[in-house]
Amino acid sequence: KGETVQLIKDVKGISNKIGDYQCLLQSIKASSSLTTFADRVTIWENRLNNLDQSIQDVIQVQRKWAYLEPIFGNWNLEGIQFERINKEWSNILMQLSESNFRVAALSRMPNIYNVLQNLLQSLSQCQRALQNFLEGKRLQFPRFYFLNDDDLLEILGQSDKPQVIQSHLKKIFVGIHTVEIENRGGGDFITAVYSAHGVSVDLN
């Protein structure tokens, strides 16, 4: 929280190279002289497979983390320890950044496969917790079903900002385009409702 990390932008080129090397190894395995260096081929085949899987896992973790971090950076849901996830992932990104994002750095990280798998599992738990939280809010106020998750999170996270609520009203209530809000005695009250055609209803 409060720290800046550099994200991985594109791995397509690296993935293509790994694919090329994997194809090359398959060609070598079909060679009649394979027996002379079969052990080395197996070693490199395993290395490339593990590296390819780790790269795919890294991208999955980053995608999930990038979506959830702004949410859990401001929200605390019971049973979710996002701070630990954030620390582990930031540490991986920092190590990659220090190596100028060389893939070799990924393969040198201790137990990286299990670390990434655990991160993916933890992030999936966060997503489920978030969905359960939003479902609970929608059950309390069914008109929230008219909003997608991002819109609902914006409302819940900025419920003290009338202009944010107002921007979503027309999705929640058919016929209501805007409302007039007045601050009275330290609280905000809706005093009038307007349709898209300018028809108003005074609530005073």
Side-chain angles (χ1 to χ4, degrees):
K1 202 171 182 179
E3 296 180 355
T4 301
V5 292
Q6 187 175 354
L7 298 181
I8 300 167
K9 294 181 179 179
D10 185 24
V11 297
K12 187 176 181 180
I14 295 297
S15 294
N16 288 340
K17 278 189 176 182
I18 291 175
D20 291 341
Y21 291 140
Q22 287 172 324
C23 289
L24 179 60
L25 285 175
Q26 291 301 315
S27 299
I28 294 174
K29 287 175 71 175
S31 171
S32 58
S33 57
L34 172 65
T35 53
T36 58
F37 45 84
D39 291 343
R40 293 179 64 186
V41 169
T42 300
I43 290 172
W44 277 104
E45 191 173 36
N46 289 335
R47 284 178 179 174
L48 288 173
N49 288 339
N50 291 338
L51 183 58
D52 185 49
Q53 184 60 56
S54 294
I55 290 173
Q56 300 310 314
D57 288 345
V58 160
I59 295 304
Q60 280 194 63
V61 169
Q62 178 171 277
R63 187 180 299 116
K64 291 175 181 289
W65 174 85
Y67 174 72
L68 293 171
E69 195 278 333
I71 299 169
F72 285 96
N74 297 310
W75 290 75
N76 289 316
L77 299 186
E78 186 177 352
I80 297 300
Q81 298 179 335
F82 194 80
E83 188 175 344
R84 176 188 61 79
I85 298 171
N86 193 49
K87 185 176 180 180
E88 286 187 22
W89 175 239
S90 296
N91 183 52
I92 291 174
L93 284 179
M94 190 176 300
Q95 291 184 63
L96 288 173
S97 178
E98 288 173 353
S99 70
N100 200 25
F101 289 96
R102 297 182 186 276
V103 292
L106 188 62
S107 61
R108 287 195 296 266
M109 293 181 191
N111 203 27
I112 187 61
Y113 175 78
N114 288 332
V115 170
L116 291 171
Q117 288 299 309
N118 288 335
L119 280 173
L120 282 171
Q121 184 177 359
S122 297
L123 287 165
S124 294
Q125 290 174 351
C126 289
Q127 285 183 308
R128 287 194 294 271
L130 178 61
Q131 289 302 316
N132 290 337
F133 171 75
L134 294 179
E135 180 64 16
K137 295 299 181 182
R138 287 178 170 124
L139 289 173
Q140 291 175 4
F141 187 63
R143 283 190 175 272
F144 279 155
Y145 280 106
F146 293 116
L147 299 176
N148 61 37
D149 289 351
D150 291 339
D151 288 344
L152 180 52
L153 283 167
E154 185 176 24
I155 286 179
L156 296 174
Q158 302 184 61
S159 57
D160 59 337
K161 297 179 180 178
Q163 66 272 22
V164 172
I165 308 297
Q166 182 148 237
S167 67
H168 297 293
L169 277 178
K170 55 190 174 185
K171 301 174 187 176
I172 301 174
F173 298 101
V174 177
I176 295 180
H177 186 66
T178 58
V179 296
E180 189 174 292
I181 299 173
E182 289 185 10
N183 185 278
R184 298 175 180 174
D188 293 313
F189 294 86
I190 297 175
T191 57
V193 176
Y194 296 87
S195 73
H197 301 291
V199 178
S200 65
V201 176
D202 192 348
L203 301 179
N204 283 311

